[in-house]
């Protein structure tokens, strides 16, 4: 496996050649392990708010939370490209705030790029950020920060209006200079239309097989959640059971006097 540092330019150049593999990451050690097995891109998603802080949605994620987790992930990533998710209200209020907040991810936390949710309406802002040297990953389809607007985490690209909006948005983000576009929960055949239309890679989540890459939330692939798992996520392990099992065995050992043993203790006579 080639272990040269991933850049936004290399991700961009993967279009039509090699699939892009991406996962979310929120902490140092998970990021280190993901980096070591060649995950191309680590997204410090605002999903951190749900999977690490137990909040019902992503809306209350703050710049402070996102900067701290991005710094942890960027410190661990040797090869993977680290992308920071811009939280709700960090780029919608004014261009001035958007520029400052986007810049902070590169300047203070070591990210190489930022992700913004939104279509053609944010293309001028994207163009400004890219113009000042901040690479941008687009995110269209189901946008979790706008779930109140959709009335839920609904599939996108089913109606004529939705398809027109998605295509227009993908084109305008491409023109604004994004290096790739995340397509979240877009009808699979229409995803192919978008992928075939734009010259930048599409990275799908819940959008079927016709993308240039795939991204999932790391907690979903590890089985590190309680309750709802999206249908589109494939679970590769069951950390929930493993954690419960390890903690239960520890509790039993302590209660039954089997922990600590001599080898796990320091007695004076040993020095
Ligand atoms: O916050 C997030 O996890 C995302 C997804 C694209 C994975 O935005």
């Amino acid at each position: 496996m080639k272990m040269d540092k991933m850049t936004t330019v290399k991700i961009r150049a993967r279009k039509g050649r090699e699939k892009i593999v991406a996962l979310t990451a929120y902490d140092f050690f998970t990021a280190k392990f993901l980096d070591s097995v060649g995950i191309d891109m680590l997204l410090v998603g605002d999903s951190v708010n749900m999977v690490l802080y137990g909040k019902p949605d992503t809306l209350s994620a703050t710049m402070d939370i996102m900067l701290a987790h991005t710094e942890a992930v960027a410190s661990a990533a040797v090869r993977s490209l680290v992308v920071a998710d811009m939280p709700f209200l960090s780029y919608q209020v004014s261009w001035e705030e958007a520029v400052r907040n986007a810049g902070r991810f590169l300047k203070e936390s070591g990210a190489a790029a930022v992700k913004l949710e939104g279509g053609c309406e944010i293309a001028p802002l994207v163009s400004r950020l890219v113009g000042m040297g901040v690479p941008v990953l687009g995110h269209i389809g189901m946008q979790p920060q706008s779930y109140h607007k959709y009335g839920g985490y609904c599939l996108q690209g089913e109606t004529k209006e939705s398809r027109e909006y998605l295509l227009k948005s993908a084109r305008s983000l491409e023109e604004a200079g994004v290096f790739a576009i995340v397509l979240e929960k877009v009808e699979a055949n229409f995803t192919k239309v978008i992928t075939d239309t734009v010259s930048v890679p599409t990275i799908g989540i819940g959008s079927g097989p016709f993308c240039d890459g795939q991204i999932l939330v790391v907690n979903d692939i590890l089985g590190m959640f309680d309750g709802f798992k999206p249908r589109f996520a494939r679970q590769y392990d069951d950390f929930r059971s493993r954690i419960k099992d390890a903690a239960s065995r520890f509790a039993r050992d302590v209660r039954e006097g089997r922990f600590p043993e001599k080898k796990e203790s320091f007695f004076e006579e040993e020095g």
Side-chain angles (χ1 to χ4, degrees), residues 9-269:
V9 176
K10 287 180 186 166
I11 294 282
R12 166 88 181 69
R14 286 277 187 91
K15 176 92 185 176
R17 295 163 153 218
E18 200 184 330
K19 291 271 189 189
I20 298 157
V21 183
L23 282 169
T24 65
Y26 316 105
D27 68 275
F28 181 85
F29 285 109
T30 310
K32 193 171 176 192
F33 303 146
L34 301 181
D35 180 87
S36 73
V37 297
I39 302 301
D40 299 314
M41 188 170 87
L42 300 179
L43 171 70
V44 188
D46 58 1
S47 50
V48 68
N49 214 41
M50 300 168 80
V51 299
L52 254 63
Y53 291 90
K55 298 283 181 343
D57 55 44
T58 60
L59 294 175
S60 57
T62 62
M63 277 298 295
D64 285 346
I65 287 177
M66 297 308 300
L67 284 167
H69 287 279
T70 304
E71 192 177 350
V73 170
S75 306
V78 176
R79 174 189 174 271
S80 313
L81 180 77
V82 177
V83 180
D85 214 357
M86 293 199 65
F88 184 55
L89 286 195
S90 69
Y91 59 98
Q92 293 93 340
V93 177
S94 70
W95 275 29
E96 198 182 324
E97 273 190 52
V99 166
R100 183 167 296 112
N101 286 329
R104 288 186 71 194
F105 280 113
L106 272 63
K107 190 171 169 152
E108 296 173 32
S109 70
V114 296
K115 175 169 81 60
L116 273 67
E117 291 182 13
C120 38
E121 67 288 347
I122 65 157
L125 170 62
V126 170
S127 173
R128 171 85 193 274
L129 293 174
V130 174
M132 57 176 254
V134 178
V136 176
L137 174 63
H139 182 162
I140 57 174
M142 203 284 293
Q143 298 164 34
Q145 292 177 13
S146 304
Y147 86 100
H148 287 301
K149 183 178 86 180
Y150 305 124
Y153 296 100
C154 309
L155 183 66
Q156 303 296 304
E158 287 191 296
T159 64
K160 186 168 171 283
E161 297 72 45
S162 167
R163 288 177 176 216
E164 279 170 6
Y165 170 72
L166 285 171
L167 211 49
K168 186 172 164 208
S169 291
R171 284 202 185 103
S172 52
L173 288 173
E174 173 191 21
E175 210 168 300
V178 295
F179 67 91
I181 303 174
V182 169
L183 299 180
E184 179 156 358
K185 223 170 165 187
V186 175
E187 191 278 323
N189 287 318
F190 193 64
T191 292
K192 179 161 170 39
V193 176
I194 300 174
T195 299
D196 290 347
T197 300
V198 292
S199 64
V200 293
T202 56
I203 302 177
I205 173 160
S207 297
F210 307 119
C211 287
D212 300 297
Q214 297 288 334
I215 183 165
L216 284 175
V217 168
V218 70
N219 290 57
D220 287 342
I221 71 161
L222 297 179
M224 179 78 170
F225 54 82
D226 202 12
F228 177 74
K229 178 184 82 67
R231 186 188 122 190
F232 57 74
R234 185 175 295 177
Q235 191 183 324
Y236 288 85
D237 211 321
D238 188 358
F239 272 43
R240 180 173 172 244
S241 304
R242 283 177 183 241
I243 290 171
K244 286 185 176 192
D245 180 57
S248 302
R249 286 191 285 129
F250 170 66
R252 209 177 313 126
D253 284 350
V254 172
R255 287 181 186 128
E256 294 173 7
R258 284 198 303 272
F259 178 85
E261 289 180 7
K262 198 167 178 214
K263 64 177 186 238
E264 289 141 343
S265 309
F266 300 94
F267 289 98
E268 199 179 14
E269 65 268 24

